[in-house]
Amino acid sequence: MKKRLYFGSNLKMYKNVHDTIAYLEQLQQLTADLNREKYTLFIIPSYTSHEQACKKINQSLIKLGAQNMCWEEQGQFTGEISPLMLQELGLELVELGHSERRHIFGESNEMLRRKVNASLSHGFTTLLCIGETGDEKDYGISDEILRIQLKTALLDVKEQDYGKLWIAYEPVWAIGINGRPATTDYAQEKHSVIRTALVELFGKQGNDIPILYGGSVNLDNAASLIVQPDIDGLFVGRSAWDAQNFNTLIRDAVMAYDTQPLV
Ligand code: 13P
């Protein structure tokens, strides 16, 4: 059976409000014909763009998300953003645990467990990012790290929320200008480790949780990644920040996926 595919981008700390809206409108127009019964598209811009983006973009075509969120609804949390504030804007998606949040801003697995719980209990589709560092890979402990990150952050997830959970596997060493993409074999192998951990956590419903690959996805590797059995989507940084480029990447991936023989 053909599975739903996911394509999205985190805009990180790039693009002002004007540029974000222009980008989103262009992407919405370029991808208007893509069947949303088969493909989910999402973009995660900066907080300052959310209000206008929510007014101008149809989230049944492109879901909009936040790059982080506090686990509390209000309180003395200077610089944080509350689930109620994101709900008020009408956002549907929250990304948690991006490697830049973990490694530059010190977010721990325990903090992420609280954030995942808060995000799901406020009704957000929740995209949890996990991934090993280059050192962890060199020590040969990538699988252990992925399992710890998943099993800690997802400890309390309730059955009613399984359908709102997405995972992004983003090996830290593969992200950004100094990153090098994981080989498709390596990515598939780690997605399979993640799939097994999800099934251990959630039983056979773990098979239905989408696992997206991120880290130097580009026009050269998108098609070969998306056809891997345990890769359900692509979470793209730099190669998505031009709407035309992202549209081409999505279509290359869709074409590769759709022309595979049915298993
Ligand atoms: P790049 O695609 O630029 O490596 O970024 C990936 C990423 O961090 C997506 O969240």
Side-chain angles (χ1 to χ4, degrees):
M1 202 184 71
K2 292 279 184 190
K3 59 191 180 186
R4 171 176 285 279
L5 300 181
Y6 297 75
F7 299 100
S9 181
N10 161 20
L11 301 190
K12 308 195 179 185
M13 202 170 69
Y14 291 102
K15 292 191 196 289
N16 61 20
V17 178
H18 173 272
D19 293 350
T20 301
I21 302 303
Y23 165 79
L24 285 167
E25 286 180 332
Q26 190 186 6
L27 187 66
Q28 182 168 261
Q29 194 212 335
L30 288 168
T31 58
D33 63 307
L34 283 177
N35 180 355
R36 268 42 177 209
E37 302 287 315
K38 293 165 71 179
Y39 313 114
T40 296
L41 270 54
F42 66 95
I43 299 293
I44 308 181
S46 63
Y47 296 125
T48 54
S49 304
H50 285 155
E51 187 171 2
Q52 282 212 41
C54 285
K55 286 187 183 139
K56 299 208 161 149
I57 297 302
N58 176 352
Q59 290 195 62
S60 62
L61 299 177
I62 300 179
K63 268 189 198 298
L64 296 167
Q67 298 178 12
N68 181 27
M69 191 193 75
C70 188
W71 56 84
E72 292 291 343
E73 290 191 341
Q74 61 177 11
Q76 298 176 54
F77 296 99
T78 303
E80 286 294 311
I81 190 123
S82 148
L84 298 183
M85 295 167 185
L86 299 179
Q87 270 179 340
E88 191 178 16
L89 294 169
L91 287 180
E92 293 187 3
L93 175 69
V94 172
E95 172 188 5
L96 296 172
H98 188 278
S99 78
E100 289 147 20
R101 298 294 322 161
R102 290 176 188 264
H103 297 291
I104 305 174
F105 299 103
E107 287 189 11
S108 65
N109 287 324
E110 171 56 23
M111 285 161 83
L112 287 162
R113 186 181 61 76
R114 288 195 241 168
K115 289 181 182 214
V116 165
N117 293 342
S119 177
L120 290 170
S121 70
H122 286 84
F124 296 109
T125 297
T126 302
L127 174 59
L128 174 70
C129 304
I130 58 170
E132 80 283 10
T133 64
D135 281 349
E136 289 161 348
K137 177 173 183 278
D138 292 345
Y139 295 142
I141 55 171
S142 304
D143 296 3
E144 287 86 343
I145 294 294
L146 296 176
R147 291 170 61 80
I148 289 168
Q149 290 176 342
L150 280 172
K151 293 210 166 183
T152 315
L154 303 182
L155 184 70
D156 312 318
V157 175
K158 300 181 186 64
E159 187 168 359
Q160 75 221 35
D161 291 329
Y162 295 169
K164 286 190 296 206
L165 190 63
W166 303 352
I167 306 297
Y169 169 56
E170 300 203 295
V172 180
W173 48 270
I175 295 175
I177 38 174
N178 299 320
R180 51 185 202 292
T183 62
T184 49
D185 286 351
Y186 187 87
Q188 164 53 32
E189 188 188 303
K190 297 306 157 210
H191 277 238
S192 164
V193 168
I194 294 166
R195 180 66 68 210
T196 303
L198 291 174
V199 170
E200 285 170 16
L201 279 163
F202 307 133
K204 61 178 187 316
Q205 292 180 74
N207 286 314
D208 300 330
I209 293 174
I211 311 172
L212 287 63
Y213 172 79
S216 295
V217 175
N218 57 45
L219 285 172
D220 294 332
N221 61 15
S224 57
L225 286 163
I226 201 70
V227 298
Q228 300 303 312
D230 289 305
I231 298 185
D232 303 304
L234 302 173
F235 191 29
V236 190
R238 289 154 297 151
S239 296
W241 297 339
D242 172 273
Q244 295 217 17
N245 205 62
F246 193 28
N247 177 50
T248 306
L249 186 153
I250 293 168
R251 284 171 198 278
D252 284 0
V254 161
M255 171 83 82
Y257 186 77
D258 281 349
T259 51
Q260 285 181 112
L262 267 177
V263 189

